Amino acid sequence: MALLDILLWGVLPYVMVAVLVGGSIWRYRYDQFGWTTRSSQLYESRLLRIGSPLFHFGLLFVIAGHFFGLVIPMAWTEAVGMSQGIYHFNALLVGSLAGICTLGGLAILIYRRRRTGPVFMATTRNDKLMYVVLAAAILLGLWTTVASIGAPETPQNNYRETVSPWFRSLFILQPDIGAMAEAPFSFHLHTLVGMALFTLWPFTRLVHAFTAPLHYLFRPYIVYRSRDERPVAGARARQRGWSQVGTADRDR
Amino acid sequence: MRVMAQMGMVMNLDKCIGCHTCSVTCKQAWTNRAGVEYVWFNNVETRPGQGYPRRYEDQEQWRGGWELNKRGRLKLKAGGRVRKLLGIFASPVQPELKDYYEPWTYDYQNLVQAPLGNDFPVARPKSLITGKDTKITWSANWDDDLGGTAELGHLDPLVEKVRRESEDRIKFEFEQTFMFYLPRICEHCLNPSCMASCPSGAIYKREEDGIVLVDQDRCRGWRQCVTGCPYKKIYFNHKTGKAEKCTFCYPRVEIGLPTVCSETCVGRLRYLGLFLYDADAVTAAASRADPRELYEAQLDLLLDPNDPDVIAGAREQGIPEDWMDAARRSPVYALAKVYRVALPLHPEYRTMPMVWYVPPLSPVVDLLREQGHDAEDRGNLFGAIEALRIPVEYLAELFTAGDTAVVTDVLRKLAAMRAYLRGITLGNDPDDAIAASVGMDGESLYAMYRLMAIAKYEERYVIPKAHVEQAHDLEELGCSLNFEEGPGMYPSGAFGEASGRPTPVAVETFHALKQRQTTEDFAQPGRLQGRVNLLNWDGEGVPEGLFPEKPSDPGRKDTEGDGQ
């Protein structure tokens, strides 16, 4: 086991997680005002209306595909009678489609960003770096998919026997570095760029994904808030030892 | 019954001269920052006209407000929760900058720095968005005073509708044109559709005074509120990526001062005060099947602050006694519910707006006068209100979902007030028949006249202060725009412009500012530090601080030019 393998597949993932989690918590606590989509729809919406849904919905499928490939062990799919051939065909079909949608959407968005004056002016250096890494991650991901079409069916080429076990082993804090080291180069590159993206994540506009407003489905339409500190309905009572410094309200 | 208090405003459109002072002072106070160059929390529209943003009243296009679904329940016109979330990646109906206008400035520097040449240097218009040369084609009040109405008048959605219904009775021939001004701010609705559209739950209504605000820390820039508001009074700050809106000048209102637009109104047409309303009944009232019943339903929501049941209910909800007193003296309650001359703007949007308007009688009066009639005579006025269908129908589209009877009633009351008071001014006995003809008595007609014509500052603005014992809570309450000069004025946080924590506003700051602006002395006379404002010096005597203090040593003479 080479030292480089240990660093890349045994140390780096944990550094990435530490930065991602720590950075997100830090930003959530100290930069609520900067936590936004920074939408540019006000400047231009014709291209955005095509590109943005294409990119975002494609990305949702890509995430689902990663979950299926990385988290669900090969033994499970085989236990329900899904052969490697069928799995691979499905993964290729859905993966390429979702990848192409995402990439196409991103291409439209980047074109729009470059060619629409006000949108380009609203683009920060931070955004540009993020776009480079994001586009690289998607391109390399698509490459791994395409490259696997012609590749011989060896265990090394099957990411479900190399990358996926390593991914799962990370969570039990016993990284299977050997398995990952066996994987083809394209997967190594995709994984590294992916980790770079997640390391950058908390410090870019990508944080808006962490506050996807799913609670909207469940909250009441009209929101009342008091100037007083009367507890909001459903809020936990203030715990002993955490009462605030200050004067109590007089009874009215 | 759940009694809640609501700050409300009434604008008497007859008095609006379209000077835009409210817009300008509001802009200076709230939206004089990068990212909101195109934003006017308060704007004044000339009607008929397209408004700002253009044709915002066409809800078939913009899909703002509420509608009833098949089962008769309220539903957002732009779609339910799932549909809103699916459309979050690119809001399907969203005004673009071109629907507002492209803000601009002029290259004044060129006037003084242009190299010598044969041509006069000019100050070219520059876009505030791109910084490049631009051609000015529209603004927030481009069709001011009916400018271009002959060509563009048909684009007013209300004109379109009235025309369809009256088959071309409105012609924009110059001599027939009627015109009035409509100042607009956020309506601070009881049933706000912007709030219901916000996926993040960042828009909230304050329990104490009903002011609708955007929590800048919780807004994530999904911009569904812009679609949701049928009045298009929520704006997207394109620099901070957050929604912003009229704040009802809450820092002023909390200490008993009127909003900036009211304070600076030249025509003194704005009234501020409290409404008490039944919060439990709002949804039912907004769900009336017939849009023409919505005005009446909205009036029914407003509770009588003299009713013992209401008083008991208000005590139960913890509304302070001085607020109850203010509610009883409220000019807006009097105009909306007691005299019934103020009408809500577009009740058919079902948002229960809380900025009310006294419709203008002036188009009628002006027309009578131009035609050589006595425009103060009751008979002439009443006859004209009945006969002049076009202004009345237009006003009905604005204020009563097309119900001309209500508008006619209000205009008749205003006409009766004119005629009744003219009689008194001419020294005749008050003619109570005039009052009776509009269902009022002489006394209340006179009281209405007092309120509408000569009410003083304290009677026009009855604003109970936020409670002192709550003041320490107000200091840190995170809500929209709560810093003194806006996000752009502070050093940026780690994530570029406008990131980091906003500086909270403190009630003391306002008191200090007020004291500094109203005091007759220097704010800190003891600390002039050898400076004096020469512009204020009349040349007589030697004001303190004109010269540096003489050294206390009497032996040494201080001479000018010392140390040269």
Side-chain angles (χ1 to χ4, degrees), chain A residues 136-248:
Chain A
I138 295 170
L139 269 173
L140 290 169
L142 212 54
W143 178 38
T144 60
T145 311
V146 175
S148 71
I149 292 176
E153 283 199 23
T154 59
Q156 282 84 9
N157 277 341
N158 184 355
Y159 61 84
R160 292 210 296 164
E161 290 180 47
T162 53
V163 183
S164 304
W166 166 76
F167 179 80
R168 290 192 295 271
S169 69
L170 287 173
F171 289 91
I172 54 171
L173 305 181
Q174 287 168 351
D176 189 351
I177 297 166
M180 185 59 185
E182 292 283 297
F185 177 67
S186 61
F187 283 96
H188 284 173
L189 209 54
H190 175 58
T191 309
L192 280 177
V193 174
M195 286 200 284
L197 183 66
F198 283 117
T199 313
L200 276 180
W201 198 288
F203 312 104
T204 62
R205 65 199 301 179
L206 295 178
V207 285
H208 72 264
F210 290 149
T211 48
L214 293 175
H215 59 284
Y216 178 54
L217 296 173
F218 311 105
R219 75 166 177 82
Y221 268 148
I222 306 300
V223 182
Y224 289 104
R225 249 201 246 178
S226 175
R227 290 189 313 219
D228 289 356
E229 289 197 76
R230 253 179 293 169
V232 186
R236 191 156 158 256
R238 190 177 289 143
Q239 299 298 299
R240 192 167 59 86
W242 292 98
S243 50
Q244 283 195 327
V245 177
T247 52

Side-chain angles (χ1 to χ4, degrees), chain B residues 212-226:
Chain B
V212 176
L213 295 171
V214 183
D215 184 339
Q216 295 285 292
D217 273 355
R218 284 192 64 185
C219 173
R220 304 284 177 232
W222 303 117
R223 64 213 177 276
Q224 302 294 320
C225 53
V226 181

Side-chain angles (χ1 to χ4, degrees), chain B residues 203-279:
Chain B
I203 305 181
Y204 63 97
K205 196 167 179 64
R206 297 213 300 190
E207 267 177 24
E208 286 82 359
D209 50 19
I211 294 176
V212 176
L213 295 171
V214 183
D215 184 339
Q216 295 285 292
D217 273 355
R218 284 192 64 185
C219 173
R220 304 284 177 232
W222 303 117
R223 64 213 177 276
Q224 302 294 320
C225 53
V226 181
T227 307
C229 174
Y231 303 96
K232 291 292 167 279
K233 275 293 173 191
I234 296 216
Y235 302 91
F236 189 74
N237 182 325
H238 59 90
K239 280 276 194 285
T240 64
K242 307 260 168 166
E244 293 187 14
K245 66 181 288 299
C246 157
T247 63
F248 214 82
C249 289
Y250 74 89
R252 291 174 61 90
V253 167
E254 277 170 9
I255 55 172
L257 297 176
T259 63
V260 168
C261 53
S262 308
E263 176 85 85
T264 59
C265 178
V266 173
R268 301 182 180 182
L269 58 98
R270 299 194 189 220
Y271 296 81
L272 292 172
L274 275 188
F275 290 115
L276 297 181
Y277 71 100
D278 181 2

Side-chain angles (χ1 to χ4, degrees), chain A:
Chain A
M1 207 185 298
L3 180 65
L4 187 66
D5 285 335
I6 296 177
L7 281 181
L8 288 185
W9 317 123
V11 178
L12 207 56
Y14 293 107
V15 174
M16 182 272 285
V17 169
V19 175
L20 177 66
V21 174
S24 299
I25 292 173
W26 171 76
R27 183 145 182 214
Y28 193 79
R29 286 189 60 171
Y30 294 105
D31 188 34
Q32 281 287 313
F33 189 58
W35 195 292
T36 146
T37 58
R38 302 239 328 277
S39 162
S40 56
Q41 190 169 5
L42 189 67
Y43 304 129
E44 199 278 351
S45 72
R46 206 171 47 85
L47 282 174
L48 184 86
R49 210 167 288 162
I50 307 165
S52 180
L54 204 58
F55 169 74
H56 282 95
F57 283 118
L59 202 59
L60 288 180
F61 275 98
V62 168
I63 290 167
H66 275 74
F67 178 82
F68 205 68
L70 290 175
V71 178
I72 297 177
M74 197 165 144
W76 292 16
T77 52
E78 275 171 2
V80 295
M82 188 188 252
S83 77
Q84 174 63 14
I86 295 178
Y87 170 84
H88 196 60
F89 176 76
N90 272 329
L92 268 184
L93 189 74
V94 180
S96 321
L97 258 176
I100 288 167
C101 280
T102 313
L103 197 66
L106 190 67
I108 295 176
L109 290 179
I110 292 178
Y111 171 82
R112 163 182 180 272
R113 195 156 274 279
R114 185 63 195 84
R115 297 311 295 263
T116 315
V119 185
F120 187 57
M121 290 185 67
T123 308
T124 61
R125 275 204 305 231
N126 184 312
D127 290 342
K128 287 173 192 165
L129 176 67
M130 184 274 293
Y131 270 110
V132 169
V133 180
L134 183 65
I138 295 170
L139 269 173
L140 290 169
L142 212 54
W143 178 38
T144 60
T145 311
V146 175
S148 71
I149 292 176
E153 283 199 23
T154 59
Q156 282 84 9
N157 277 341
N158 184 355
Y159 61 84
R160 292 210 296 164
E161 290 180 47
T162 53
V163 183
S164 304
W166 166 76
F167 179 80
R168 290 192 295 271
S169 69
L170 287 173
F171 289 91
I172 54 171
L173 305 181
Q174 287 168 351
D176 189 351
I177 297 166
M180 185 59 185
E182 292 283 297
F185 177 67
S186 61
F187 283 96
H188 284 173
L189 209 54
H190 175 58
T191 309
L192 280 177
V193 174
M195 286 200 284
L197 183 66
F198 283 117
T199 313
L200 276 180
W201 198 288
F203 312 104
T204 62
R205 65 199 301 179
L206 295 178
V207 285
H208 72 264
F210 290 149
T211 48
L214 293 175
H215 59 284
Y216 178 54
L217 296 173
F218 311 105
R219 75 166 177 82
Y221 268 148
I222 306 300
V223 182
Y224 289 104
R225 249 201 246 178
S226 175
R227 290 189 313 219
D228 289 356
E229 289 197 76
R230 253 179 293 169
V232 186
R236 191 156 158 256
R238 190 177 289 143
Q239 299 298 299
R240 192 167 59 86
W242 292 98
S243 50
Q244 283 195 327
V245 177
T247 52
D249 283 349
R250 274 181 282 146
D251 288 332
R252 288 190 293 219

Side-chain angles (χ1 to χ4, degrees), chain B residues 83-98:
Chain B
R83 209 157 138 209
K84 282 255 167 205
L85 282 193
L86 286 178
I88 211 167
F89 299 132
S91 208
V93 271
Q94 185 93 43
E96 274 180 58
L97 209 51
K98 65 174 165 50

